[in-house]
Amino acid sequence: MSTIRLLVLGAVRMHGRAHGYQVRNDLEYWGAHEWSTAKPGSIYHALKQMAKQGLLHAHEIAPSTAGGPPRTEYEITGQGTEEYFRLLREALVTYDQRADVKTAAVGFIVDLPRAEAVALLKERTLRIEQWRTSVLEHYVPEEGPGQLGHIGEIMNMWVHTADSEAEWTRGLIERIEGGAYTFADEGDPFVGVLAPGEENPYATGEQHPGDEH
């Protein structure tokens, strides 16, 4: 699972059309540079790569009146939309992804219909429970981790992680089933991107050559 692909496709989709610097600005606004590998170089590389793969359409626009190179605006294609939702669904049901994958998936979960989001999260819970059961074939929590020497601490960690993941997922399901948040086709979506000209309070200020393209 490529978190950067999910993040970039999601950001472009929110805007409709966006140039690379806007996408970078949004990802920094979300703090993605702190909890994922979404750095300027990887963002601009992902935009160009996905344009070559047909997931994004690159529109070259005229230079500004103040001069400077022409910028490229990106628009998600039908193929890109399919890939976006494939990545999103996969991230929601797969329990053993890195934390950045789960974080990105939760950030975009409202792009799905409410019923589908709940179904995917229930599938995630089922997979967690199945994994926990497989661990218990070799480890008895009641006997403590010392039963397997210090290696038992690993299985103890796995059990605790599974319990925590399952508890968090069930809580999210409960809130969504209770009517929390606005999902696809339910009304005005949550606005998670910066408006044109809006200052980003979380911008790193780091300069990158890709900012000008």
Side-chain angles (χ1 to χ4, degrees):
M1 162 69 71
S2 172
T3 309
I4 189 68
R5 287 168 71 88
L6 177 57
L7 287 168
V8 168
L9 286 171
V12 173
R13 183 175 178 274
M14 281 187 176
H15 278 288
R17 274 176 64 156
H19 56 71
Y21 183 72
Q22 282 179 293
V23 174
R24 174 195 168 179
N25 206 32
D26 287 336
L27 267 58
E28 289 185 356
Y29 181 57
W30 301 339
H33 57 293
E34 297 179 343
W35 49 261
S36 77
T37 58
K39 309 300 181 187
S42 62
I43 293 168
Y44 296 131
H45 175 75
L47 285 164
K48 292 177 182 177
Q49 191 68 22
M50 289 193 287
K52 290 179 182 178
Q53 294 169 347
L55 305 179
L56 296 173
H57 180 73
H59 301 270
E60 191 167 285
I61 58 176
S64 68
T65 55
R71 280 191 161 176
T72 301
E73 285 189 341
Y74 295 91
E75 182 178 11
I76 194 166
T77 64
Q79 183 182 346
T81 300
E82 290 180 6
E83 175 68 0
Y84 167 71
F85 281 107
R86 185 192 71 79
L87 291 171
L88 176 55
R89 292 177 176 115
E90 179 185 339
L92 286 171
V93 299
T94 307
Y95 66 87
D96 57 350
Q97 300 278 25
R98 298 192 315 265
D100 60 338
V101 178
K102 179 172 66 176
T103 302
V106 174
F108 293 126
I109 194 171
V110 294
D111 285 347
L112 296 167
R114 185 179 299 272
E116 183 180 6
V118 168
L120 291 170
L121 291 170
K122 286 183 176 179
E123 172 64 20
R124 178 190 185 90
T125 304
L126 177 61
R127 295 189 187 189
I128 293 170
E129 291 170 349
Q130 290 173 337
W131 176 61
R132 188 184 192 279
T133 298
S134 70
V135 174
L136 296 186
E137 293 176 0
H138 311 282
Y139 175 70
V140 181
E142 292 76 14
E143 295 181 9
Q147 64 192 282
L148 298 174
H150 76 281
I151 300 303
E153 294 292 352
I154 297 174
M155 294 188 176
N156 193 46
M157 176 182 65
W158 287 347
V159 170
H160 278 274
T161 299
D163 290 343
S164 175
E165 282 282 327
E167 180 183 3
W168 171 80
T169 306
R170 283 192 292 266
L172 178 55
I173 291 170
E174 183 179 346
R175 289 187 289 277
I176 292 174
E177 287 185 324
Y181 319 120
T182 302
F183 283 78
D185 303 325
E186 291 184 350
D188 293 334
F190 173 78
V191 179
V193 296
L194 294 163
E198 183 179 357
E199 185 177 352
N200 182 359
Y202 308 110
T204 63
E206 175 188 347
Q207 299 296 310
H208 189 279
D211 294 346
E212 302 301 322
H213 301 288

